[in-house]
Amino acid sequence: MKIPRPHRPVRSTVLAIAVGINLFVAMLTILAAYGGTFNPDTRVIMAMIAMTFPAMLLLGMIVMTADLFFDRRLALIIAGGWLISIQPILSFSPLHILGHSLSEQEKERSFTLLTYNILHYCDFRGENPELEANATMSYILSTDADIVNLQEAGPELTCPGRLNMMESGAVTTGDYWHMKQSQLDSLYARYPYRVINRDNQLSVYSKYPVTPVRIHIPPKDHNVMECFRLDIKGQTVHLINVHLKSIGLTDADKALYKQTFRNVPDSKQELRSEINDVKSQLLSKLAVAFRDRAAQANTVKNVIDSIGGPFIVAGDFNDIPDCYAVRRILSADGMNDAYADAAFGPAITYHGDRFYFRIDHVLYRGPFKSIDIERGGIYSSDHNPLLTTFLFDKDLRLQPESAP
């Protein structure tokens, strides 16, 4: 009779633990991937779990790497979780390796849109006396985008060197982060069509004719969206500039968030205290923001459905890819995600206070397609901009561009 080797029961126990870890990570990955399908009004915890999706993917990679050394068969569990989550994965990190180089004929059928939360033209990095001009404005001009879609474009009392505003809402020079008259002259010469709303600070500068469109917005949401009608090469395209509900963290909340990820509590009592603080200060505000954004997304979808036709919804969503708000707007007939359609790899568009997420989005529908989208590598705002190139359908009859 063959006597089992002593190490086999130990290996079996370790294998069982490894299987459990892999199943746990795979299930969490799936939950995070589809957390945005649940309405925050009824399942707000799922919206919070969805925010962990990037971390779950990273954890899955670490576990799979360990599997390859311990037992390669276990890697199939993580791979299965990824396969089930493939659509959210490709929304988070698209794999369009080959870029689209426009031919001369295609350039005539294309247009570009820059969306950017500019932090009131402040410089998030702080004062730099060596700067010769406003960094944010310099970047905007360097893109030469056909349409510039801005959030937080108005003055802010907490921003040093507050910018003066004329009655029209136009930007002026002054002691404001090196804003130069030459920059403003270039801006106004390049974009003859401008709609600047002083109240909600959502602005559009355009090379194409643009007019504001009155839409029904609940009173509490008056500062989160604005609708515009654009005439792009003879095609009517509606644009909704959005700045959805932010979490609204105070300086104390941000300090708590940083401390939570930086320090290890010295005792169980201190750990319980930190957990209670996180629940009361952070999670409660997250829950309110998720629910408010869900309602705001419903408003955006209703506007799209009521007006009809080609649409672009762009701006600061204050939420991640495949969240409920993004999914809700995408549920409008024919809407697409420009980043998912044209990008390669993941991106971060918010980098302030150690919150590293892509919360700026460009959604669209119409006789055009997103063929390229770039995240701007400028850090003068706490957001990074997104520059999208759209290409009209080949069989569409377009009008030649004319001077205003």
Side-chain angles (χ1 to χ4, degrees):
M1 182 173 131
K2 189 175 180 181
I3 300 175
R5 294 179 181 179
H7 73 277
R8 285 188 176 178
V10 175
R11 177 173 173 79
S12 297
T13 302
V14 173
L15 181 61
I17 294 173
V19 169
I21 291 173
N22 277 266
L23 286 172
F24 182 69
V25 172
M27 287 188 294
L28 280 181
T29 300
I30 296 169
L31 281 175
Y34 295 100
T37 61
F38 295 85
N39 191 330
D41 282 336
T42 55
R43 295 289 188 275
V44 71
I45 186 63
M46 295 304 298
M48 296 180 185
I49 292 175
M51 293 185 69
T52 68
F53 187 51
M56 289 300 103
L57 291 178
L58 179 60
L59 183 58
M61 293 178 189
I62 295 171
V63 172
M64 179 178 278
T65 301
D67 290 340
L68 296 178
F69 288 97
F70 178 70
D71 190 328
R72 294 182 180 180
R73 294 172 299 176
L74 295 175
L76 295 175
I77 299 175
I78 299 296
W82 289 348
L83 184 62
I84 294 172
S85 309
I86 190 64
Q87 185 272 323
I89 288 175
L90 292 179
S91 294
F92 169 74
S93 179
L95 298 176
H96 301 284
I97 300 174
L98 300 177
H100 189 112
S101 181
L102 290 172
S103 66
E104 290 302 318
Q105 289 183 336
E106 286 178 330
K107 289 179 181 178
E108 297 297 321
R109 296 190 286 114
S110 70
F111 67 96
T112 55
L113 179 139
L114 175 72
T115 187
Y116 193 7
N117 182 322
I118 60 174
L119 193 64
H120 315 285
Y121 292 102
C122 300
D123 200 315
F124 185 73
R125 301 163 297 186
E127 179 61 60
N128 182 357
E130 296 182 0
L131 282 177
E132 297 182 355
N134 184 272
T136 297
M137 185 66 78
S138 294
Y139 173 82
I140 292 171
L141 293 171
S142 72
T143 66
D144 195 32
D146 295 314
I147 304 159
V148 178
N149 188 66
L150 303 178
Q151 303 86 49
E152 294 193 19
E156 176 61 43
L157 291 174
T158 59
C159 182
R162 179 185 175 186
L163 180 65
N164 296 317
M165 302 289 287
M166 296 190 298
E167 287 302 315
S168 63
V171 182
T172 64
T173 57
D175 182 19
Y176 192 83
W177 299 100
H178 309 284
M179 186 70 72
K180 303 299 180 184
Q181 186 62 47
S182 58
Q183 291 181 298
L184 303 182
D185 292 342
S186 296
L187 180 75
Y188 297 142
R190 190 170 304 179
Y191 299 105
Y193 305 103
R194 304 181 291 272
V195 180
I196 306 169
N197 189 304
R198 282 187 68 182
D199 181 47
N200 59 29
Q201 303 173 23
L202 301 175
S203 303
V204 171
Y205 294 81
S206 176
K207 296 180 181 179
Y208 303 107
V210 56
T211 53
V213 176
R214 187 181 296 275
I215 57 176
H216 174 70
I217 303 173
K220 70 173 184 176
D221 294 333
H222 75 281
N223 62 337
V224 300
M225 67 189 74
E226 192 75 48
C227 188
F228 307 91
R229 183 183 296 110
L230 292 154
D231 181 358
I232 307 175
K233 303 179 187 292
Q235 301 295 312
T236 298
V237 179
H238 284 87
L239 166 67
I240 299 182
N241 185 349
V242 298
H243 187 187
L244 302 187
K245 173 77 174 187
S246 66
I247 301 174
L249 298 182
T250 64
D251 290 341
D253 296 331
K254 294 174 183 177
L256 174 62
Y257 171 81
K258 293 176 183 178
Q259 178 183 335
T260 301
F261 288 92
R262 183 174 60 233
N263 299 331
V264 178
D266 296 327
S267 64
K268 289 184 178 180
Q269 184 177 359
E270 187 176 336
L271 176 61
R272 290 194 196 99
S273 177
E274 284 198 9
I275 291 174
N276 289 333
D277 287 343
V278 169
K279 284 182 179 179
S280 62
Q281 293 185 43
L282 300 183
L283 298 186
S284 60
K285 290 187 177 182
L286 273 174
V288 170
F290 282 126
R291 293 184 178 115
D292 284 352
R293 286 194 293 268
Q296 292 161 3
N298 279 329
T299 300
V300 173
K301 182 181 181 298
N302 291 338
V303 171
I304 295 172
D305 291 340
S306 63
I307 294 178
F311 251 98
I312 298 174
V313 181
D316 178 4
F317 284 63
N318 272 305
D319 214 334
I320 58 174
D322 274 330
C323 65
Y324 181 83
V326 169
R327 287 176 178 270
R328 185 62 180 154
I329 296 171
L330 286 174
S331 70
D333 186 42
M335 291 294 288
N336 301 283
D337 184 338
Y339 193 90
D341 285 351
F344 176 72
I348 293 170
T349 62
Y350 184 79
H351 55 88
D353 304 306
R354 299 186 183 178
F355 288 90
Y356 301 113
F357 296 100
R358 174 160 62 89
I359 62 174
D360 299 84
H361 306 282
V362 180
L363 313 179
Y364 72 97
R365 76 176 182 193
F368 46 83
K369 184 173 179 59
S370 166
I371 60 167
D372 186 58
I373 186 165
E374 301 175 5
R375 190 205 70 160
I378 181 170
Y379 294 89
S380 55
S381 171
D382 51 357
H383 287 251
N384 294 99
L386 290 174
L387 178 64
T388 308
T389 300
F390 292 101
L391 182 65
F392 277 108
D393 295 344
K394 193 173 183 179
D395 57 352
L396 199 65
R397 297 184 64 180
L398 302 174
Q399 293 181 3
E401 297 181 27
S402 57

